[in-house]
Amino acid sequence: MLRQIIVADDHPLFREALKAAVARLDSGTSFVEADSVASLLTALDAQPDADLLLLDLKLPGAQGFNALAHVRGSRPGLPVVVVSADDDAQTIAGALRYGAQGFIPKSTEAGQIGQAVESVLAGEIYTPPG
């Protein structure tokens, strides 16, 4: 099954790591990258059939959960997984409250990232253990 995932993170190396972690599970996945809120909005417009958004909360142009809130409002059917270095309970709870279907700490091992993405694509909510 050909999947399309938007990877929104301002660090090129981390975008590559996320893509590699997800592609290990399904080589038929295509990726669209965004490195700011502006390029994320362009990607969302250009990819109406995207299956998933991996979203860094600290994208240039984002403040708090505003990018997540915008995506939830404009694309309510698009699952969003927040990927963040801030993995305290308050940030995770806030991401879920604003409509994220998952939360992956940036410290997560690659194999676990792939499993988290798979579980969200299967309709589950993913949060880190504990």
Side-chain angles (χ1 to χ4, degrees), residues 1-6 19-32 49-52 117-118 121:
M1 181 174 117
L2 189 63
R3 287 194 181 132
Q4 191 168 58
I5 296 178
I6 300 172
K19 288 173 9 186
V22 174
R24 286 194 346 203
L25 292 168
D26 183 359
S27 60
T29 302
S30 66
F31 297 94
V32 176
D49 298 327
D51 296 295
L52 181 71
V117 166
E118 283 298 313
L121 286 168

Side-chain angles (χ1 to χ4, degrees), residues 7 9 71 84 113:
V7 181
D9 192 294
V71 172
S84 180
I113 290 173

